[in-house]
């Protein structure tokens, strides 16, 4: 069954975690839960054998709560989930537009191919970032400790591209 990439409220959900103020942990949890449901529906819509096993493995790895980066895009809990959905949105949009220009492209590259590649392109990041603290100056120029993410590749000696393919 084809799952719309963006249901009526999907656009709001995609940007809610990073761009709109979320004043309570319960609201943040509610938004992330909806994004997880969307992500799972999109993966399941590919009808690939073993996809439910992949979803279970993603949960075990902490994919749905991992940040996408330590300092840049998606450097917050759930950032990797949001980033992956955004990449899938762009990938599907590109496929749709490119297929209008080059119709044979749609015969060789399917929506399912795009969803699998885009949603899973950063799987390796699920185990790379660890919560920590860094020193920073506050508005009064006093040193304080702020939460941050540290990168730790100790458990896997190759880069993140190679690790995503292997996992």
């Amino acid at each position: 069954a084809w799952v719309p990439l963006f249901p009526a409220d999907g656009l709001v959900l995609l940007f809610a975690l990073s761009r709109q103020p979320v004043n309570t942990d319960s609201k943040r949890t509610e938004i992330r839960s909806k994004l997880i449901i969307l992500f799972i529906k999109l993966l399941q819509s590919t009808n690939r054998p073993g996809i439910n096993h992949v979803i279970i493995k993603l949960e075990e790895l902490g994919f749905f709560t991992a940040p996408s980066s330590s300092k840049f895009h998606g450097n917050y809990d759930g950032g990797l989930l949001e980033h992956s959905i955004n990449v899938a949105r762009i990938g599907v949009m590109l496929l749709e537009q490119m297929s209008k220009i080059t119709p044979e492209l749609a015969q060789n590259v399917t929506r399912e191919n795009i969803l699998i590649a885009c949603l899973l392109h950063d799987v390796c990041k699920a185990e790379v970032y660890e919560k920590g603290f860094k020193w920073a100056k506050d508005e009064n120029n006093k040193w304080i400790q702020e939460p941050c993410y540290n990168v730790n590749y100790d458990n896997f000696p190759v880069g993140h591209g190679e690790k995503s393919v292997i996992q």
Side-chain angles (χ1 to χ4, degrees), residues 5-150:
L5 192 54
F6 301 102
D9 62 345
L11 291 175
V12 173
L13 289 176
L14 287 174
F15 300 104
L17 287 176
S18 64
R19 292 168 187 83
Q20 295 181 10
V22 177
N23 298 325
T24 64
D25 286 339
S26 63
K27 185 64 175 173
R28 189 176 306 280
T29 300
E30 175 190 339
I31 292 167
R32 188 171 303 116
S33 295
K34 290 180 180 181
L35 288 172
I36 291 169
I37 291 167
L38 175 61
F39 182 95
I40 290 171
K41 284 182 178 180
L42 290 169
L43 268 184
Q44 289 175 332
S45 75
T46 66
N47 295 314
R48 296 290 171 94
I51 202 67
N52 287 324
H53 176 72
V54 170
I55 293 166
I56 290 167
K57 185 66 175 174
L58 292 173
E59 178 64 35
E60 291 171 358
L61 291 171
F63 179 89
F64 300 118
T65 56
S68 182
S69 168
S70 62
K71 299 176 186 170
F72 305 107
H73 67 281
N75 64 336
Y76 45 86
D77 289 354
L80 182 56
L81 170 65
E82 182 180 348
H83 166 72
S84 298
I85 292 172
N86 283 332
V87 171
R89 177 178 61 90
I90 293 165
V92 169
M93 287 171 35
L94 281 171
L95 176 64
E96 289 170 354
Q97 295 306 311
M98 291 301 296
S99 295
K100 291 176 185 175
I101 298 167
T102 312
E104 60 271 11
L105 179 67
Q107 296 170 354
N108 297 316
V109 180
T110 66
R111 179 179 187 275
E112 290 75 21
N113 297 141
I114 297 295
L115 287 176
I116 293 286
C118 292
L119 291 172
L120 301 178
H121 79 281
D122 272 344
V123 167
C124 70
K125 290 184 177 184
E127 295 182 308
V128 171
Y129 301 109
E130 300 171 342
K131 289 185 177 184
F133 290 94
K134 66 179 180 178
W135 289 100
K137 290 200 174 187
D138 67 10
E139 62 277 356
N140 298 318
N141 207 30
K142 293 191 179 189
W143 288 103
I144 59 168
Q145 282 194 327
E146 290 183 344
C148 70
Y149 290 99
N150 297 312

Side-chain angles (χ1 to χ4, degrees), residues 124 127-128 152-163 166:
C124 70
E127 295 182 308
V128 171
N152 183 351
Y153 278 114
D154 289 347
N155 296 328
F156 210 90
V158 297
H160 105 253
E162 294 90 345
K163 186 176 176 194
I166 292 168

